[in-house]
Structure formats: structure tokens, C-alpha cells
């Protein structure tokens, strides 16, 4: 009988990127039930992996114990004690490279995700742009596991069951007597955020439907203030930001019928839970490989490239291009509302 293989999977941040690893790991443990996985990531992301069989979580302390080069040596030492056989570096940055190279030097098999930087550069540059889909990150991660001897099929994903909501959560959300929609109107960069006046029209339009209840997601005081304005006194619109713990938010998201999100972490969280996700794209584009997992192409509503031919201007939305500030205004509120109604 062959020995159970133990893989350490390194993916330190950011939220959307960590969420994108979840469907890949689900496929791995389903297709290879005798594989044990330890996810090495920030403690905040632990709830993403709760309940996945054969998946353990190792919290990295990047502020103290695992800070700096000495901290990476300690991280290597800590992980060695877990009797790891193979390393999948899904992050492939300087920190994770140090740890994986230490394992390689000790004779362990390692593999790292190729992020396809040159393809993404070709897609986002303004001169000689190659406007063609880049391989999705989930497929790139699957290739990493194939290098370790575990080829994966991602075409028939398994999703977790909808979470049973506690009385504490229901006291905030109410019972589910109608269709539930989540809206996450913010993103890290302004180039990815749908104009707030247009988002107001979307929310007002959805609020006019008696059989729909809308939950607004975000974080931080500034965002909560803006969400309360977007709520606009509608009785069937509720601001969830700041009212629930992160794990509880995930449980609510798993019960949504649909999530409307920017190109942001919330899109990937909803997708990993098997929820329908409609995404709005401004400076970025689903071709860059960050389309939410398992979602059809027509769930991605993109800014008009005939009017704004340089789109996408960047992979992450962090690059400002003069004259492109209003690109997202080409996605009309009625288009968004009609798409949501059609998919519900």
C-alpha cells in the first residue's frame, strides 16, 4: 500500500487569490482521497478551508514569528515538522520562493505556479496589444499539482452545501422568504469600481422588486457609510458590513441566489461557494485570467472596448489612463438589472 502523500500549499495573500485556490484544492482531495494537504496562509483566510476533507491549515505569522528572512527560516523549520512530502507554491513571490527552495535543497519535490506575466503584459499594453484570453489562474494552479504528480480535472466542480444559518445571523438577515442577492460594490482600485451613482440606480431598481432582498457587503468605516447611503431607506436592502464576523459573512454568501461584484475578492468567494456571480469590469478584463471560477462568460459585463480600445489597461486595475475614467459608465444600470433578473 502506498504511503499517504502530504502536500504543503503556500498561498499567503490576497483574498481573491486565496479564494481561487479553494475549488482547485477541493478537486485535488476529491480526485486523490489519500492525499493530505496543509494550506500555508494568513490566519484570516482559515474559514475558506473549513470543512474540506484532508485539508489542514497552517497560519503564517508574517508580523512576528515568520517576519523577514529569519522568519522564513523559522517557517521552513515549522513546516518540516509536519513531515511534508511535496510543496506547491501557488504564490510564487520572493517569500514563498525562499521557503520552497529550502525544501528543494532538502530533497523534497517542489512546483510553483507560472503566473503568465508575459501573456498578461501583452493583453494590457497599449501598443501591439494581444487581446486574447490568458489561461485562468485556477488552471495554472492545476498545472502546478500536475507537476507534483497529481493531474486534475476542474470541469465538474463539487461545491459545499449551503451553510445552515445560526439564530444570531438570522436576527440580522431575517428568514429567507425571497431571493437573496449580494452586492459588493467596492474594489481595491478605483478603476475597478462601478460609479456610485449608477450602482445606486441598480440597487433602487432591484429594491422595487418585492420578491428580492439585497445585502450590501464591504468593510471599513468609509465603505459602511457609503453602503448606508446606497441602502437609501429601502426596507428590502440591508447593509451587512460591520455586523457579522468573517466566517458568518461566508455563511450568508453561501445562501445567496446571486452575487453582483466588481473584479474583486467577493466575486471569488461567492464562486468558490458555488453561487452565481455577475461581475462588472472596468480597467481590468476577464481575459486576464481572473474570471470567477465556474462562471459563464456572459456573467462578466465589461466596459465598451469600441469606445475604449486600450482596455484592459492593467491586470489589477491600479494603472490610471487619461480619458478612461468613465469607461465603466458604458455598462448601463438597466443592463445589470436585466441580467440579474434573467439569471434569477
Amino acid at each position: 500500500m502506498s504511503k499517504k502523500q502530504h502536500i504543503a500549499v503556500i498561498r499567503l495573500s490576497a483574498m481573491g487569490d486565496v479564494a481561487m485556490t479553494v475549488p482547485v484544492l477541493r478537486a485535488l482531495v476529491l480526485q486523490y482521497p489519500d492525499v493530505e494537504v496543509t494550506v500555508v496562509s494568513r490566519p484570516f483566510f482559515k474559514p475558506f478551508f473549513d470543512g474540506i476533507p484532508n485539508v489542514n491549515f497552517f497560519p503564517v505569522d508574517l508580523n512576528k514569528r515568520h517576519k523577514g528572512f529569519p522568519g522564513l527560516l523559522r517557517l521552513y523549520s515549522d513546516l518540516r515538522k509536519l513531515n511534508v512530502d511535496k510543496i506547491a507554491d501557488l504564490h510564487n513571490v520572493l517569500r514563498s520562493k525562499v521557503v520552497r527552495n529550502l525544501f528543494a535543497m532538502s530533497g523534497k519535490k517542489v512546483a510553483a505556479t507560472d503566473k503568465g506575466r508575459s501573456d498578461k503584459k501583452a493583453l494590457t499594453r497599449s501598443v501591439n496589444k494581444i487581446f486574447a484570453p490568458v489561461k485562468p489562474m485556477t488552471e495554472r494552479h492545476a498545472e502546478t499539482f500536475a507537476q507534483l504528480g497529481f493531474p486534475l480535472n476542474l470541469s465538474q466542480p463539487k461545491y459545499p452545501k449551503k451553510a445552515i444559518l445560526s439564530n444570531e445571523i438570522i436576527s440580522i438577515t431575517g428568514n429567507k422568504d425571497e431571493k437573496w442577492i449580494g452586492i459588493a460594490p467596492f474594489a481595491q482600485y478605483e478603476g475597478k469600481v462601478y460609479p456610485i451613482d449608477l450602482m445606486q440606480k441598480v440597487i433602487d431598481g432591484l429594491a422595487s422588486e418585492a420578491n428580492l432582498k439585497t445585502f450590501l457587503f464591504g468593510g471599513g468605516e468609509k465603505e459602511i457609510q457609503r453602503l448606508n447611503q446606497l441602502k437609501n431607506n429601502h426596507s428590502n436592502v440591508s447593509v451587512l458590513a460591520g455586523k457579522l464576523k468573517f466566517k458568518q459573512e461566508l455563511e450568508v454568501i453561501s445562501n445567496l441566489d446571486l452575487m453582483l461584484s466588481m473584479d474583486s475578492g467577493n466575486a471569488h468567494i461567492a464562486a468558490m461557494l458555488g453561487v452565481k456571480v455577475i461581475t462588472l469590469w472596468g480597467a481590468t478584463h476577464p481575459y486576464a485570467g481572473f474570471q470567477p471560477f465556474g462562471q459563464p462568460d456572459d456573467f462578466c459585463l465589461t466596459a465598451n472596448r469600441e469606445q475604449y480600445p486600450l482596455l484592459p489597461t492593467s491586470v489589477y486595475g491600479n494603472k490610471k489612463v487619461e480619458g478612461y475614467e468613465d469607461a465603466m459608465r458604458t455598462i448601463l444600470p438597466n443592463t445589470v438589472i436585466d441580467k440579474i433578473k434573467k439569471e434569477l
Side-chain angles (χ1 to χ4, degrees), residues 94-105:
L94 189 59
R95 272 194 293 227
S96 59
K97 278 178 191 172
V98 169
V99 177
R100 100 171 173 245
N101 286 335
L102 289 168
F103 273 104
M105 281 155 54

Side-chain angles (χ1 to χ4, degrees), residues 94-316:
L94 189 59
R95 272 194 293 227
S96 59
K97 278 178 191 172
V98 169
V99 177
R100 100 171 173 245
N101 286 335
L102 289 168
F103 273 104
M105 281 155 54
S106 72
K108 302 292 183 188
K109 190 163 187 183
V110 304
T113 296
D114 169 11
K115 292 182 171 178
R117 288 190 175 95
S118 58
D119 293 347
K120 288 172 183 171
K121 203 172 179 179
L123 172 70
T124 54
R125 66 193 176 204
S126 54
V127 181
N128 298 327
K129 182 187 284 289
I130 299 174
F131 185 67
V134 166
K135 190 181 292 172
M137 287 308 297
T138 44
E139 281 180 33
R140 292 179 186 277
H141 293 329
E143 286 176 353
T144 306
F145 288 108
Q147 287 175 51
L148 295 176
F150 304 100
L152 298 178
N153 178 359
L154 299 180
S155 66
Q156 291 176 304
K158 273 267 197 306
Y159 296 107
K161 289 182 176 148
K162 289 185 184 298
I164 295 164
L165 300 181
S166 66
N167 291 333
E168 188 188 350
I169 295 174
I170 291 168
S171 72
I172 292 165
T173 61
N175 288 311
K176 191 171 179 187
D177 301 320
E178 59 280 277
K179 295 277 189 188
W180 280 8
I181 299 171
I183 298 183
F186 304 117
Q188 190 178 359
Y189 297 109
E190 209 55 42
K192 299 202 288 190
V193 178
Y194 194 53
I196 211 90
D197 59 312
L198 300 187
M199 183 54 81
Q200 186 69 69
K201 287 179 179 172
V202 171
I203 291 168
D204 292 346
L206 294 172
S208 68
E209 303 285 325
N211 64 330
L212 299 181
K213 184 165 191 177
T214 302
F215 295 103
L216 305 181
F217 291 85
E221 276 181 44
K222 247 189 185 163
E223 287 189 6
I224 291 169
Q225 277 179 352
R226 291 166 83 187
L227 291 174
N228 282 317
Q229 289 167 347
L230 286 167
K231 175 181 160 48
N232 203 15
N233 296 323
H234 296 300
S235 59
N236 58 347
V237 178
S238 176
V239 176
L240 284 191
K243 294 178 185 171
L244 297 169
K245 298 186 184 83
F246 183 53
K247 189 171 169 58
Q248 293 174 316
E249 276 200 5
L250 296 183
E251 289 168 1
V252 173
I253 291 171
S254 88
N255 280 275
L256 296 176
D257 295 284
L258 184 143
M259 171 69 95
L260 173 67
S261 175
M262 307 302 106
D263 165 23
S264 71
N266 281 291
H268 300 294
I269 290 170
M272 81 180 191
L273 295 169
V275 173
K276 288 181 179 182
V277 189
I278 290 171
T279 39
L280 306 182
W281 302 74
T284 59
H285 196 279
Y287 274 14
F290 295 100
Q291 182 169 337
F293 179 76
Q295 305 295 321
D297 293 349
D298 67 334
F299 279 24
C300 300
L301 304 181
T302 56
N304 188 326
R305 286 196 71 251
E306 284 181 18
Q307 259 176 275
Y308 296 97
L310 297 184
L311 293 175
T313 53
S314 70
V315 174
Y316 302 109

